[in-house]
């Protein structure tokens, strides 16, 4: 009977071990994969647990901000990601291009009993040896070492809230570990909780190069089993000590044992002080594991300890919130209030940490709060590290805050610092400038000069976002001859990555297209049927729009192109989607509606004005007008009314029959002349009352302000007599967002549209935002005179 029981237990154990080996191997495989893909933040949306880890590694920039060596104190910090971001895009976003997804699975839901047995006897391959099975790609070593935990050094109080990764225990050799492992095998079930804790502490001192050997030792796995068995018997100091040991042991963050430890710490959260909770959260951060259940308890306890939160606890909390990639809505206002209370006490690196935490967690605060944060950063800018400055810029980009004084300071600081900054830091600088529509040639030139030497360190995401930012800001190839070629070559070297992240390639190519650059090999790849199908699987409108824009640009600017193109069906589908959106959005804007209505009145009816997307790939609408060789308007499309012979309606125009008051100011404004009535001293303009006779002109070069405008179209001016053919006119009604900030220069996409309209044979008339927005408040007659000048002056 005894033998039968033993055999039965042994059979059950073997069965459970076989099942666990497969699941545990999967977990290790996933962990290694994520470690190798630390820099691709656009890939979150996967299984819930892995989603957190992928987001952690990819969401923000780790590689060039951390030392990649295993012995580095920052090695535990290189576990992040953006679905970059989540991509700033899914949550709130302006510039963000986010979106990749992991489709990996991780076995987590193991029964407690099986987990204990399997941890003890698992013989799965060491995680460090499974990397050969991973996605093959060339590892890019970081070009600059930056420590995101540097703020811990500015106050001694952080010692009780965080683990100092630079203070690794004095290492011991493998021969010194063997007696400890021997004791583990001898004691077996006789070990006490304090003994388990002590054994793990001793083993964690092993030289880092021997850690893989230790983690694969069966006696170590047996010790892990005992740690789980004694988990509820550990005192809180012992439990935290064990967790600290796991940091030095470099346990894979996906190890199933951590699920049990998170549950236990969550159960004890109510008995822990705020400092202990923050310390435990930092240990999880160092392990590299997302622990949403534990963080929920931490955040809930903040409300109970608001009176105890000083500057160190506050900054550490923002750090944890950022690494957790989320902040509960009910916690935002209390944290914002505490931040404003302590803001003037923050050191430079602490300001950067706060901004990074808010950015990573996608947390929005009031504009006044963001402004005050940047004001504080500005007062400390000369003392801030490059990393801290980049973090401030990131949060400004997220918040869309244009802080002129800070950007003026950047015009001085970035050129001075660029020679020592890394690829990702420079990328975020230019991406912020692009998002805020801020162009400064000093910043762009300094970055462009630095980038070619760093091109080997560029991830595909870095290269593509740099190209997008510089193209959007209209930085021409002649301004830095080696900038664009170096990044384009970097894309060619990493073409394999675009099979995984197609949005990166499209982002970079559009930046090049904005400045009329077409690397044909990469364009052919992006428009190939295989790549298009890959992009369409993402089911994202953004990628479809990008493909349409690229295809349309190729059609106009590369007339001899023989490479692949999008199918007619796909072009029509995307164009229809864009038009439907425009009808519900842009077409309803007051400035567009008023321009269309005024043009119809000016030219004689709605059949002479067509509101449409002349070039769908440019993603915006125009008002199209056709004129014959004598300047007379031609119908662009049939009138909406079925009564073609019915005259257009001119409600409210009766007052024009009695004449109009004309001032010198109005004449000067409409004719783009200096005001003749103004001298050094401002004089009241002289007024004249014109009651025009039939056919008499008030403005020879502008508009007949007579009752005749009601019955007949505008008379052509003499300059049009020489035109030999009809003219197509595209009238644009841009918004403030089409220009650089505080400038009349168009951004990349809109400058490209202007270029393409001219290539398509259109005369382009722009109703400048500042001009037309002021005209909206003026009389109908003044609007018509303005439009008449605009249309005919362009000829």
């Amino acid at each position: 009977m005894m033998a039968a029981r033993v055999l039965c237990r042994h059979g059950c154990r073997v069965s459970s071990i076989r099942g666990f080996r497969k699941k545990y191997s999967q977990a290790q495989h996933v962990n290694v994969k994520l470690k190798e893909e630390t820099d691709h933040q656009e890939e979150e949306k996967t299984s819930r647990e892995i989603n957190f880890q992928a987001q952690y590694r990819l969401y923000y920039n780790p590689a060039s901000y951390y030392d990649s060596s295993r012995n580095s104190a920052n090695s535990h910090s290189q576990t992040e990601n953006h679905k970059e971001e989540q991509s700033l895009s899914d949550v709130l976003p302006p510039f963000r291009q986010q979106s990749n997804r992991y489709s990996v699975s991780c076995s987590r839901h193991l029964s407690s009993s099986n987990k204990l047995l399997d941890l003890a006897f698992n013989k799965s391959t060491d995680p460090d040896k499974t990397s050969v099975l991973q996605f093959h790609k060339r590892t890019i070593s970081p070009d600059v070492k930056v420590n995101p935990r540097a703020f811990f050094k500015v106050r001694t109080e952080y010692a009780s809230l965080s683990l100092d990764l630079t203070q690794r225990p004095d290492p011991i050799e493998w021969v010194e570990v063997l007696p400890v492992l021997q004791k583990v095998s001898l004691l077996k079930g006789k070990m006490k909780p304090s003994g388990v804790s002590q054994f793990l502490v001793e083993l964690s001192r092993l030289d880092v190069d021997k850690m893989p050997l230790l983690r694969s030792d069966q006696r170590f796995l047996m010790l892990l089993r005992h740690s789980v068995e004694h988990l509820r018997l550990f005192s809180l100091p012992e439990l935290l000590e064990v967790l600290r040991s796991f940091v030095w042991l470099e346990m894979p963050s996906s190890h199933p044992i951590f699920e049990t430890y998170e549950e236990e710490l969550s159960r004890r959260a109510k008995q822990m002080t705020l400092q202990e909770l923050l310390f435990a959260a930092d240990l999880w951060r160092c392990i590299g594991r997302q622990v949403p259940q534990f963080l929920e308890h931490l955040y809930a306890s903040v409300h109970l300890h608001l009176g105890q939160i000083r500057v160190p606890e506050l900054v550490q909390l923002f750090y944890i919130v950022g690494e957790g990639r989320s902040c509960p809505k009910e916690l935002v206002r209390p944290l914002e209030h505490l931040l404003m209370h302590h803001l003037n006490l923050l050191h430079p690196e602490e300001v950067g940490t706060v901004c990074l935490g808010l950015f990573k967690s996608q947390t929005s605060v009031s504009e006044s709060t963001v402004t005050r944060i940047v004001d504080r950063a500005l007062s400390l800018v000369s003392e801030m590290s490059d990393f801290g400055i980049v973090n401030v810029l990131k949060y400004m980009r997220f918040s869309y805050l244009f802080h002129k004084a800070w950007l003026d300071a950047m015009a001085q600081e970035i050129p001075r610092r660029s020679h020592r900054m890394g690829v990702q830091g420079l990328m975020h600088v230019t991406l912020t400038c692009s998002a805020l529509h801020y162009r400064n040639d000093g910043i762009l030139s300094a970055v462009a000069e630095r980038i070619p030497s760093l091109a080997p360190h560029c991830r595909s995401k870095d290269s593509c976002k740099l190209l997008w930012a510089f193209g959007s800001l209209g930085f021409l190839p002649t301004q830095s001859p080696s900038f664009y070629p170096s990044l384009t070559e970097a894309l060619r070297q990493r073409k394999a990555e675009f099979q995984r992240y197609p949005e990166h390639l499209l982002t970079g190519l559009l930046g090049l297209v904005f400045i009329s650059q077409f690397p044909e090999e990469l364009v052919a790849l992006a428009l190939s049927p295989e790549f298009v199908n890959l992009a369409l699987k993402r089911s994202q409108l953004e990628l479809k729009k990008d493909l349409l824009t690229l295809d349309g640009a190729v059609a106009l600017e590369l007339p001899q192109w023989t490479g692949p193109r999008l199918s007619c069906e796909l072009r029509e589908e995307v164009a229809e989607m864009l038009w439907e959106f425009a009808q519900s959005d842009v077409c309803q804007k007051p400035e567009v509606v008023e321009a269309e209505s005024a043009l119809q009145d000016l030219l004689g009816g709605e059949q002479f004005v067509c509101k449409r997307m002349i070039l769908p790939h440019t993603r915006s609408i125009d008002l199209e007008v056709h004129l014959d060789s004598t300047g007379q308007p031609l119908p662009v499309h049939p009138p909406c009314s079925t009564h073609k012979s019915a005259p257009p309606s001119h409600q409210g125009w009766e007052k024009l029959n009695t004449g109009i008051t004309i001032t010198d100011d109005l004449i000067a404004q409409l004719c783009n002349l200096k005001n003749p009535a103004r001298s050094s001293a401002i004089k009241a303009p002289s007024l004249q009352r014109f009651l025009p006779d039939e056919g008499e002109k008030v403005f020879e070069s502008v508009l007949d302000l007579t009752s005749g405008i009601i019955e007949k179209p505008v008379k052509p001016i003499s300059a049009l007599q020489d035109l030999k053919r009809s003219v197509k006119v595209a009238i644009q009604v841009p918004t403030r967002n089409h220009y650089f900030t505080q400038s009349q220069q168009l951004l990349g996409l809109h400058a490209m549209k202007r270029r393409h309209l001219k290539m398509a044979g259109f005369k382009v008339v722009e109703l400048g935002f500042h001009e037309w927005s002021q005209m909206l408040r003026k009389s109908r007659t003044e609007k018509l005179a303005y439009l008449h000048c605009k249309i005919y002056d362009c000829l």
Side-chain angles (χ1 to χ4, degrees):
M1 180 66 75
M2 179 71 71
R5 288 177 183 166
V6 170
L7 288 174
C8 181
R9 285 199 298 269
H10 181 71
C12 293
R13 176 187 300 174
V14 170
S15 176
S16 65
I17 291 174
R18 288 172 180 169
F20 181 77
R21 283 178 183 172
K22 180 178 180 181
K23 296 175 181 178
Y24 181 45
S25 178
Q26 289 175 351
Q28 291 175 318
H29 178 86
V30 169
N31 177 67
V32 174
K33 183 171 186 174
L34 291 178
K35 281 186 176 179
E36 291 185 354
E37 297 172 0
T38 292
D39 297 328
H40 293 285
Q41 183 163 29
E42 280 98 344
E43 298 88 299
E44 24 178 53
K45 293 187 179 176
T46 77
S47 82
R48 184 172 186 80
E49 184 94 20
I50 294 304
N51 174 30
F52 284 133
Q53 296 185 10
Q55 195 177 3
Y56 187 81
R57 295 193 161 112
L58 304 171
Y59 190 29
Y60 170 46
N61 127 41
S64 28
Y65 281 5
Y66 304 89
D67 182 358
S68 63
S69 69
R70 256 188 108 126
N71 295 322
S72 169
N74 296 329
S75 62
H76 295 283
S77 301
Q78 302 182 32
T79 49
E80 336 195 2
N81 172 44
H82 161 33
K83 175 199 148 199
E84 242 176 81
E85 319 183 275
Q86 255 182 10
S87 76
L88 306 181
S89 126
D90 291 316
V91 184
L92 165 60
F95 55 88
R96 320 80 145 129
Q97 295 178 346
Q98 312 82 344
S99 58
N100 296 326
R101 285 122 174 101
Y102 282 118
S103 56
V104 298
S105 59
C106 179
S107 175
R108 294 283 184 183
H109 305 290
L110 307 175
S111 70
S112 178
S113 59
N114 281 345
K115 192 184 300 181
L116 296 178
L117 291 173
D118 294 340
L119 285 171
F121 298 101
N122 171 31
K123 295 182 180 179
S124 62
T125 306
D126 180 80
D128 295 303
K129 298 178 182 178
T130 62
S131 59
V132 295
L133 303 176
Q134 307 309 314
F135 176 72
H136 295 288
K137 68 177 184 180
R138 183 167 56 92
T139 300
I140 297 296
S141 59
D143 52 312
V144 171
K145 302 175 183 179
V146 181
N147 182 10
R149 297 168 64 86
F151 71 97
F152 288 137
K153 299 294 185 181
V154 303
R155 297 179 193 269
T156 57
E157 294 93 329
Y158 286 117
S160 61
L161 305 174
S162 62
L163 177 62
D164 188 348
L165 293 175
T166 65
Q167 300 299 316
R168 191 180 185 95
D170 294 334
I172 59 176
E173 297 298 327
W174 178 253
V175 293
E176 299 176 73
V177 165
L178 290 176
V180 179
L181 294 176
Q182 186 64 25
K183 289 180 183 179
V184 170
S185 63
L186 292 176
L187 291 174
K188 293 184 179 179
K190 298 179 181 180
M191 279 190 286
K192 296 180 180 181
S194 59
V196 174
S197 173
Q198 187 57 37
F199 283 147
L200 287 170
V201 170
E202 291 184 33
L203 293 175
S204 69
R205 296 173 55 198
L206 179 64
D207 185 272
V208 66
D209 294 332
K210 297 296 190 299
M211 284 299 178
L213 181 61
L214 174 63
R215 290 195 299 269
S216 64
D217 193 286
Q218 295 302 307
R219 293 164 293 186
F220 176 73
L221 298 177
M222 179 69 73
L223 183 60
L224 294 182
R225 166 190 173 176
H226 291 314
S227 76
V228 175
E229 290 175 339
H230 292 86
L231 192 54
R232 294 205 169 190
L233 301 178
F234 285 136
S235 65
L236 182 58
E238 288 173 340
L239 181 57
L240 295 176
E241 194 62 49
V242 169
L243 209 59
R244 189 206 310 258
S245 299
F246 289 153
V247 175
W248 303 128
L249 287 165
E250 298 186 354
M251 296 278 288
S253 61
S254 60
H255 200 295
I257 195 175
F258 290 133
E259 183 178 345
T260 306
Y261 272 82
E262 181 186 358
E263 292 172 357
E264 179 61 20
L265 277 169
S266 299
R267 187 183 68 84
R268 300 194 191 193
K270 291 184 179 180
Q271 287 77 47
M272 298 170 67
T273 65
L274 179 62
Q275 287 72 21
E276 289 170 336
L277 288 166
L278 289 172
F279 180 63
D282 189 62
L283 291 176
W284 285 120
R285 167 79 276 275
C286 295
I287 289 171
R289 182 180 177 87
Q290 290 290 341
V291 284
Q293 181 184 354
F294 175 75
L295 291 182
E296 285 180 9
H297 289 86
L298 167 60
Y299 299 149
S301 70
V302 170
H303 294 281
L304 305 175
H305 300 90
L306 286 175
Q308 305 175 24
I309 298 181
R310 302 161 300 161
V311 171
E313 288 83 5
L314 179 64
V315 177
Q316 174 75 337
L317 192 55
F318 275 109
Y319 174 70
I320 295 301
V321 162
E323 301 311 313
R325 293 299 187 277
S326 66
C327 180
K329 292 182 179 178
E330 60 275 11
L331 194 59
V332 175
R333 292 298 165 256
L335 287 182
E336 184 177 356
H337 176 75
L338 285 169
L339 178 59
M340 291 299 95
H341 180 70
H342 295 299
L343 183 61
N344 291 332
L345 300 177
L346 298 186
H347 293 299
E349 293 311 298
E350 292 175 322
V351 175
T353 298
V354 168
C355 289
L356 183 59
L358 291 168
F359 172 80
K360 285 185 175 183
S361 62
Q362 302 290 278
T363 301
S364 297
V365 295
S366 66
E367 182 178 348
S368 61
T369 295
V370 183
T371 302
R372 286 191 58 190
I373 293 172
V374 180
D375 286 341
R376 177 60 178 168
L378 180 61
S379 69
L380 303 169
V381 66
S382 62
E383 305 170 48
M384 292 186 76
S385 67
D386 303 338
F387 183 70
I389 284 178
V390 168
N391 292 338
V392 174
L393 287 168
K394 283 183 174 184
Y395 195 56
M396 288 176 62
R397 182 178 78 205
F398 171 81
S399 303
Y400 289 112
L401 177 72
F402 185 86
H403 192 292
K404 188 176 186 307
W406 171 267
L407 292 173
D408 288 343
M410 292 302 97
Q412 302 298 320
E413 292 293 331
I414 299 303
R416 182 171 65 83
R417 298 167 179 254
S418 61
H419 69 280
R420 68 190 189 210
M421 294 178 69
V423 169
Q424 295 184 37
L426 295 172
M427 179 267 287
H428 283 294
V429 168
T430 53
L431 202 57
T432 298
C433 291
S434 174
L436 298 180
H437 301 175
Y438 173 74
R439 171 166 175 161
N440 180 279
D441 285 349
I443 293 176
L444 296 180
S445 296
V447 174
E449 182 180 351
R450 168 72 167 151
I451 287 298
S453 64
L454 299 178
H457 303 293
C458 284
R459 300 171 300 172
S460 60
K461 182 174 75 173
D462 298 330
S463 300
C464 293
K465 288 191 175 182
L466 280 164
L467 290 172
W468 166 270
F470 274 79
S472 295
L473 295 174
F475 189 83
L476 300 178
T478 54
Q479 295 178 263
S480 180
S482 61
F483 174 73
Y484 287 111
S486 66
L487 287 180
T488 304
E489 180 59 29
L491 297 190
R492 294 191 181 97
Q493 296 299 321
R494 300 179 69 77
K495 282 197 301 185
E497 293 183 12
F498 300 133
Q499 298 301 312
R500 192 176 186 90
Y501 313 119
E503 61 271 33
H504 291 172
L505 177 59
L506 294 176
T507 295
L509 287 178
L510 288 187
L512 289 168
V513 166
F514 292 162
I515 55 169
S516 197
Q517 296 291 300
F518 293 86
E520 296 192 6
E521 177 187 358
L522 296 175
V523 171
L525 171 63
L527 294 178
S528 65
E530 298 80 11
F531 187 90
V532 171
N533 291 334
L534 177 66
L536 295 181
K537 288 179 181 178
R538 304 281 180 175
S539 299
Q540 294 179 5
L541 176 59
E542 281 299 324
L543 295 189
K544 292 181 179 179
K545 291 194 297 184
D546 291 349
L547 286 168
L548 181 66
T549 299
L550 179 61
D551 182 82
V554 168
L556 283 169
E557 300 204 45
L558 300 180
Q560 306 304 319
W561 175 260
T562 58
R565 294 281 308 279
L566 295 186
S567 66
C568 293
E569 294 79 5
L570 180 57
R571 291 201 296 266
E572 292 174 1
E573 174 194 346
V574 181
E576 182 63 26
M577 293 168 64
L578 290 170
W579 175 238
E580 289 178 0
F581 173 75
Q583 286 181 302
S584 63
D585 181 56
V586 180
C587 292
Q588 305 302 320
K589 292 184 179 297
E591 59 269 25
V592 175
V593 173
E594 183 65 19
E596 181 183 22
S597 174
L599 282 168
Q600 290 172 355
D601 287 336
L602 176 68
L603 300 176
E606 58 187 27
Q607 69 268 33
F608 299 109
V609 182
C610 179
K611 178 173 60 182
R612 70 185 183 97
M613 286 182 163
I614 297 175
L615 301 175
H617 73 275
T618 60
R619 311 183 188 186
S620 55
I621 66 165
D622 307 276
L623 300 173
E624 184 175 355
V625 170
H626 292 182
L627 303 173
D628 66 14
S629 59
T630 65
Q632 295 288 344
L634 299 172
V636 182
H637 60 79
C640 297
S641 172
T642 57
H643 305 286
K644 298 184 180 180
S645 59
S649 172
H650 297 282
Q651 297 178 356
W653 278 59
E654 292 79 2
K655 294 180 180 179
L656 287 178
N657 293 326
T658 62
I660 187 70
T661 300
I662 304 299
T663 69
D664 293 337
D665 283 341
L666 178 58
I667 295 173
Q669 179 182 355
L670 296 179
C671 296
N672 296 320
L673 300 174
K674 293 183 179 180
N675 190 343
R678 293 185 181 272
S679 59
S680 56
I682 299 177
K683 301 178 181 179
S686 60
L687 301 180
Q688 293 181 347
R689 187 71 170 176
F690 288 89
L691 297 174
D693 297 327
E694 179 69 24
E696 183 182 351
K697 297 181 181 180
V698 176
F699 300 128
E700 182 66 27
S701 62
V702 189
L703 176 67
D704 289 340
L705 297 178
T706 73
S707 59
I709 192 173
I710 300 177
E711 289 82 19
K712 56 187 176 182
V714 177
K715 297 178 181 179
I717 59 178
S718 57
L720 294 178
Q721 301 299 333
D722 297 330
L723 292 176
K724 303 300 183 183
R725 58 186 177 83
S726 63
V727 178
K728 295 185 295 183
V729 181
I731 301 169
Q732 296 184 294
V733 189
T735 69
R736 188 193 307 271
N737 290 331
H738 290 187
Y739 304 97
F740 296 147
T741 302
Q742 300 177 340
S743 169
Q744 296 301 307
Q745 185 177 350
L746 290 168
L747 289 164
L749 174 64
H750 308 291
M752 180 196 74
K753 176 181 178 178
R754 181 74 54 85
R755 184 171 73 245
H756 286 180
L757 283 171
K758 292 178 180 178
M759 288 180 175
F762 283 83
K763 293 284 187 180
V764 180
V765 172
E766 177 184 312
L767 305 185
F769 170 76
H770 297 288
E771 293 179 1
W772 186 239
S773 60
Q774 293 176 10
M775 292 301 301
L776 292 178
R777 298 190 291 270
K778 297 189 178 182
S779 68
R780 189 72 163 182
T781 304
E782 291 175 285
K783 293 174 187 173
L784 293 173
Y786 170 81
L787 290 173
H788 184 275
C789 283
K790 280 288 186 179
I791 292 174
Y792 288 99
D793 283 355
C794 82
L795 304 178

